[in-house]
Amino acid sequence: GACSTTRLVEAKTVVLRNDTPQKLVVFWGGQEHFATGDTSAKTQDAMAESAARWPYAVTPDAADVRPGETQEFKVTFRPSMDNRYYTRQLECFAYVKTMRSFRQVTADNFVPPWTTTLRANGHTFRDARAMFDAFMPKCHFSCRGGRLFFPPTVRGERAYLTVALINDGDTAVGFEFPTKRPDATEGENASAAAAASPLRCFPSKGHVMPHSHALVTFRFDARDTRQHVESIACSLNGSEKNVLVLNARAQGFVPSLVVGDEDSFVFKPTCVGAITTRDVNVVNKSRIDILYEWAIPEKLAGVLAVSPASGTVKGGETLTSTWNFSPREVKRLAARVPLVVRVPQTPRQAREGVLPEQERVYVSVGGEGLSGALTMQPRTLTFGTCLVDKKEERTIELYNQSAGMIRYRLECVFAEGSSEFDADVSFDAPIGQINARAVVPVVVSFVGRQRVTDCEFRVVCHTVADPKSNATTTSSLTAASRSSTLPFAAAETTPPETEADLPWTAARATADFPTLRVTDAACEGVAKPLLWKRLSINALNAQLATPPTPAEHKMAKDGGVDGTIVSSRALAPLSAVATGMGVHVEGAAATVTHLEVTNVGTLPADWRVLFRNELEVEAENWVELSEPDTEVDAHQMWLVDNGVVKVYPRRGHLEPGQKTAVTITYAHDHVGAHWLTALLTIADGRSVRLELGGRTVALDAKCLDLGPANAPIATHVLSPVRIGEMRPPTQSIELRNPCADAIRYVVDVAPAEALNRDAWGFPVLRCLNPSGVVPAFGVASVDWIFQPAEEKVYETSVEIKIHGGENSVLTIRGAGVSPLGGDGDGDGAANDGAALGDIDRSRWIGYRPTPTLPPATPFQLSTHACAFGEIPSLAIVRRVVALTSCSDFDYDFKWNLCALAGNETIGALAIEPAEGVLNRGESVMIKVIFTAGTDPRVFDGAVRCELTPTTPSREELEYEARLAEEAKTRPVAVAEQGAPAPSMPTKLEKQGKSEVWVSYASKERMSVLHASTENSAITFPELTARHRREHEKTLPKPPPPPADHVVALGVEGIVQTEVAFREEHGAEAFDRHFIPTYRPDPRVETLPADLTAEDAALMIAELLRETARDPEIQREFDDLEEEEIPFYLSLVGGGAPARALRARESIASPPKTPDLASSSR
């Protein structure tokens, strides 16, 4: 109440009772202690400050309270200022006295301290009534309209609302809720007042400072489900005139859920094995949150399923639950499914460890199971070949043959060898329902994620509950959800049906990229194997056969760097292939290379060739092109502008299996090394950078053409040789001279000798002929013997010095292999494809010796390479090649063996016929005969057929013959030169002879026309020359003379010793080769100077035997017709000559001839 600062205020007594069985220590907090009797100024000031902070003091400040006893405390009010309100909350702390020390406390018996509060109110207004009437309080509550709406409260629980009492005035205001004070219910009406009002507030009395606020909390005790409406008065400054009224509304609720129509619902008739889905509404009739969970009986766990199986329904909310009905047999279903409901756990229940009470609501569920079936059409689905990362769609149909609705779920099951990493299979309607007797189309989408040759999978249709399906979730809960939401379990899931009983459709698809391949190449005068290596076609085909790289995908998606795909930055990350165009002299005919490009894939391919920095779209006339930035760009632009390198066609479209010819023309009008970067790009496929390189030299230059693309620096890969080979084969490297003068060369073998020294002095690499001469436009071979000592790759570079010309560097690489076939202890580098390079032509992609391109010249060989394979030493092997003429003229042909002429030791190559005439439109069969030498050898080169027009030609001969025939039948007028004959008869005329004939016979004879023409030409020479020129203009131009042509034929093979051939291929393969038993000794100087008759006879006899053993000679004898025996031989002494009778006797009993071979021994 009202107190004064000048007199002592009467203390109030507070009684505290100990209801615990332990002795407690009670003390009051927030008080400061001072020494008794200390009257110093400092102490007095500290006591004044303490009194201002703590106007209420409790004595004693601490006490011990025994169990069941009480303790009185006096509360003293010590105000320090007048005309103020003093409101404080006093805190009383208590703890068990036995736990005052940690030595007396354990983890099992420790009880934490607790506290209770006491609110003290007072003021120091002397004339409070007059002051309160003079100052009108300016206060209001923060709630709108003075209304308190308590949230929906569970019956038996409490709800709280906190509002602010705001003071907008300049003076402090005291407030009080008279009906909510603790002493307001004292006396006889205490129980009635408590039962009448379920509302309480805290604090019920206090004050609000100027321009401040105070928080007041109201509590509602939901004792019943009635709606409570009550007005709460708040008195300001203790005046009945200044009252604020709050209108409170509150109500208690109990859980109330309604499922479906009055807690019942019915499913449609469903086929056995199928699933029917129905949405059922769960309505919360109350305004409180309710937790629910379906407790499906165990016997119905495989028939009924609901999703969600449990959850929370907000007050007044309608929740949709999905029910699945999958009957197991043909019967009706009538069941009551319990629904367990409860309210959420309150914080008070959580502290006390009490769970809310549960209630069960039984829901009636009805349904009927019918017999039915589901089919899928078509039985097989073919997508064909699809582009990788492109969607391909097909449609299947699901037909419900039953009278009930069927719920389905489609699933993709990949066959063995295929997986979801190969492709993505999706459906536009993977889950759905089919009404009775209805058909539902479903679109199946296939997207290949990588190149897949044959991706097989099945589209399976499920009609039962599947744990993997989101639409058929059962009512079972996991342990975590069960422990965090509801404490009861539910039914288990339904096992899925077997795949054999399900309808399915088999599908097959292939995912690929558009793929191109170079399948043939042709260039006049160049053998196909050499051209294949020079153009690096094997590397190009290997690049085209692989899938596009990420850089190519990004370039195709973004359009390249700086908006173009042929800039220097855009071409840098792409794979490059060096394409060589050879070395030729200035002024030579342009090198024309024909490539056959084939679409070997199963998808159409759109391709194009772009040069570096080329505009991808045609620019307008007004567009000014920028100058090249670098010297390389300027050089390549100059090549294109001057037509040095041309490619035609530059773009095309190829269907699967279709072919086209691409021509690369390299003109030799400018001396220098020429490089042009081109981009071969396939739409939705690979993009490969082509480095087209060639060289044109002056007429007096001297250099070699060694490499595929870079002439001065080249690499040659030797054939692999087994370690420990006692007689390694001799391997040749061809040196091609593209110049008009012969070249004298010397091979610097110092690097090879250094390689031998590194191999502990073992002769790994030896050169047999380090010097020689390469004829003009010819070929010479340098023989090497490679004998490895280890299983590894050997590599060295030797310099070929040219006398008076440009030196070249040749890199020689060879691999030593294990005699165990790669199972040795070596590092395995010898078996690496990169180390072997292009030595194994069986690994060449797209290579075939037979031509498929139209001939680059008017002449065509039936094969571009004559492969003899592996042959034993001293064997004779033959191949037949057809040379066909497509020209309109007759040609003389002559074969040039180049560097393959050989001898008896290293082997010799012969061609029959070596020369002849090839008539127009006809073919000549050429026999290529290789006679293996005694030493092992690897030969790989080319022979050339030089074709020149026949002189004189057939037309010229026919024309001369026709003129001769016409001259025989043409009449000739004879004119006589000189003076006319005399009129008087001469002496001869008197004798009866002709004087005219004698005069005519003694002079030159010519025709009259010739005589007139000759006289005019002598008289008017200028006129004759002009007439001749005018006459030549009227004549048709004669056709150009036929040009010379060169056709090249590759020759390759490996000569092995007899022992090595038998070990590797067997005796049967060895017997198939013709090997003469007699071979003349090539060392003629060892033969005796005078041969005896017996030695000559033995030699001739051996030659005849070898001739008779030749398979071709034996076939000729077999083809001879059998002659009849003359009639006179059957008569004894019938006039037949004696020699015939002796011949008959010799036929009847042939004499035994001595063995010349044995006698010679």
Side-chain angles (χ1 to χ4, degrees), residues 604-756:
D606 294 313
W607 62 274
R608 58 177 177 169
V609 177
L610 298 174
F611 293 145
R612 181 174 175 176
N613 296 329
E614 180 183 5
L615 294 178
E616 300 178 38
V617 294
E618 186 176 357
E620 298 291 340
N621 297 331
W622 53 268
V623 177
E624 183 177 356
L625 302 179
S626 61
E627 295 296 329
D629 299 333
T630 62
E631 294 183 2
V632 177
D633 295 340
H635 172 72
Q636 300 206 0
M637 182 179 294
W638 178 82
L639 292 179
V640 176
D641 294 341
N642 290 273
V644 177
V645 180
K646 298 179 181 179
V647 179
Y648 179 82
R650 299 277 298 278
R651 63 176 62 238
H653 174 81
L654 294 177
E655 294 293 331
Q658 193 174 1
K659 304 178 180 180
T660 188
V662 178
T663 303
I664 303 176
T665 304
Y666 176 38
H668 306 288
D669 300 332
H670 305 277
V671 177
H674 305 131
W675 288 90
L676 179 61
T677 302
L679 175 65
L680 172 61
T681 176
I682 307 171
D684 299 319
R686 286 302 311 268
S687 295
V688 181
R689 176 162 50 97
L690 302 178
E691 298 292 346
L692 304 174
R695 188 182 179 193
T696 301
V697 297
L699 292 174
D700 56 349
K702 291 184 178 181
C703 64
L704 294 176
D705 182 9
L706 299 177
N710 195 355
I713 303 175
T715 301
H716 182 84
V717 181
L718 301 174
S719 296
V721 179
R722 288 194 296 265
I723 302 173
E725 184 70 38
M726 299 303 297
R727 297 182 62 186
T730 302
Q731 306 190 42
S732 301
I733 300 178
E734 288 191 346
L735 305 181
R736 293 177 292 276
N737 181 10
C739 304
D741 297 331
I743 294 177
R744 184 175 298 278
Y745 69 90
V746 176
V747 179
D748 184 8
V749 296
E753 294 175 353
L755 180 66
N756 297 337

Side-chain angles (χ1 to χ4, degrees), residues 131-139 167 169 171 173 237 241-242:
M131 181 179 176
F132 293 158
D133 292 340
F135 296 95
M136 180 69 66
K138 297 180 181 180
C139 296
N167 182 8
T171 60
V173 177
N237 291 336
K241 298 179 181 179
N242 301 323

Side-chain angles (χ1 to χ4, degrees), residues 872-944:
S873 58
L874 303 179
I876 300 177
V877 186
R878 301 174 179 87
R879 297 290 185 267
V880 177
V881 180
L883 176 61
T884 304
S885 172
C886 301
S887 174
D888 297 331
F889 302 94
D890 298 336
Y891 272 78
D892 296 331
F893 67 89
K894 182 178 180 180
W895 286 93
N896 183 2
L897 299 182
C898 300
L900 295 176
N903 51 49
E904 295 292 337
T905 303
I906 64 175
L909 183 71
I911 296 180
E912 298 178 358
E915 58 184 20
V917 178
L918 179 59
N919 297 325
R920 65 192 69 180
E922 295 183 358
S923 299
V924 175
M925 303 306 294
I926 304 298
K927 183 189 296 185
V928 183
I929 305 172
F930 179 75
T931 303
T934 57
D935 298 336
R937 186 176 184 84
V938 177
F939 58 94
D940 184 5
V943 296
R944 296 191 298 178

Side-chain angles (χ1 to χ4, degrees), residues 400-554:
N400 184 5
Q401 299 178 343
S402 63
M405 189 268 293
I406 296 179
R407 179 77 178 179
Y408 73 89
R409 179 178 63 87
L410 296 178
E411 181 185 7
C412 174
V413 180
F414 287 92
E416 185 178 358
S418 303
S419 65
E420 60 274 8
F421 298 102
D422 299 332
D424 293 340
V425 180
S426 59
F427 314 97
D428 63 337
I431 300 174
Q433 62 183 15
I434 309 175
N435 295 327
R437 310 295 182 185
V439 177
V440 174
V442 179
V443 177
V444 183
S445 301
F446 175 84
V447 180
R449 293 307 178 191
Q450 60 182 354
R451 176 174 286 174
V452 183
T453 304
D454 195 359
C455 181
E456 297 182 357
F457 58 93
R458 285 187 177 185
V459 179
V460 183
C461 182
H462 295 269
T463 56
V464 295
D466 192 341
K468 299 179 181 179
S469 175
N470 295 331
T472 57
T473 305
T474 61
S475 62
S476 61
L477 294 175
T478 61
S481 63
R482 195 175 295 121
S483 62
S484 60
T485 56
L486 298 180
F488 48 83
E492 297 181 355
T493 59
T494 303
E497 68 274 38
T498 60
E499 186 177 350
D501 301 333
L502 299 176
W504 53 271
T505 294
R508 175 176 294 181
T510 300
D512 200 357
F513 297 97
T515 306
L516 298 182
R517 179 179 295 172
V518 179
T519 54
D520 198 5
C523 182
E524 183 176 1
V526 183
K528 185 174 181 178
L530 175 61
L531 183 63
W532 201 270
K533 293 188 289 185
R534 190 173 77 179
L535 298 175
S536 302
I537 298 179
N538 190 41
L540 176 60
N541 287 339
Q543 291 291 338
L544 295 176
T546 56
T549 61
E552 296 171 17
H553 279 299
K554 183 178 180 181

Side-chain angles (χ1 to χ4, degrees), residues 244-443:
L244 298 178
V245 179
L246 292 175
N247 296 320
R249 291 177 179 270
Q251 184 179 1
F253 295 90
V254 294
S256 177
L257 287 181
V258 177
V259 180
D261 299 333
E262 299 180 356
D263 294 338
S264 64
F265 60 92
V266 180
F267 287 99
K268 294 181 180 180
T270 308
C271 300
V272 175
I275 302 176
T276 297
T277 301
R278 174 174 177 173
D279 295 335
V280 179
N281 293 332
V282 179
V283 182
N284 187 357
K285 294 293 185 180
S286 62
R287 297 181 60 190
I288 59 176
D289 296 346
I290 300 176
L291 294 178
Y292 73 92
E293 182 176 11
W294 292 97
I296 299 178
E298 185 177 358
K299 63 179 181 179
L300 298 178
V303 178
L304 294 177
V306 60
S307 174
S310 62
T312 303
V313 186
K314 301 292 184 181
E317 182 186 8
T318 299
L319 182 67
T320 301
S321 60
T322 303
W323 283 81
N324 297 325
F325 172 52
S326 54
R328 299 302 185 187
E329 54 185 344
V330 180
K331 61 178 292 187
R332 291 181 179 273
L333 172 67
R336 298 185 62 185
V337 180
L339 174 64
V340 181
V341 296
R342 68 169 175 84
V343 296
Q345 192 178 29
T346 62
R348 180 182 59 82
Q349 293 174 342
R351 290 194 303 268
E352 298 175 358
V354 179
L355 292 176
E357 296 182 359
Q358 300 178 0
E359 296 182 6
R360 283 180 175 262
V361 178
Y362 289 91
V363 180
S364 300
V365 180
E368 182 180 3
L370 303 176
S371 61
L374 182 67
T375 60
M376 298 177 64
Q377 294 295 333
R379 293 292 298 172
T380 58
L381 206 62
T382 303
F383 287 87
T385 303
C386 311
L387 186 63
V388 176
D389 291 335
K390 297 295 182 180
K391 182 185 293 185
E392 192 74 17
E393 296 181 348
R394 297 291 186 271
T395 302
I396 60 175
E397 293 182 349
L398 306 180
Y399 174 55
N400 184 5
Q401 299 178 343
S402 63
M405 189 268 293
I406 296 179
R407 179 77 178 179
Y408 73 89
R409 179 178 63 87
L410 296 178
E411 181 185 7
C412 174
V413 180
F414 287 92
E416 185 178 358
S418 303
S419 65
E420 60 274 8
F421 298 102
D422 299 332
D424 293 340
V425 180
S426 59
F427 314 97
D428 63 337
I431 300 174
Q433 62 183 15
I434 309 175
N435 295 327
R437 310 295 182 185
V439 177
V440 174
V442 179
V443 177

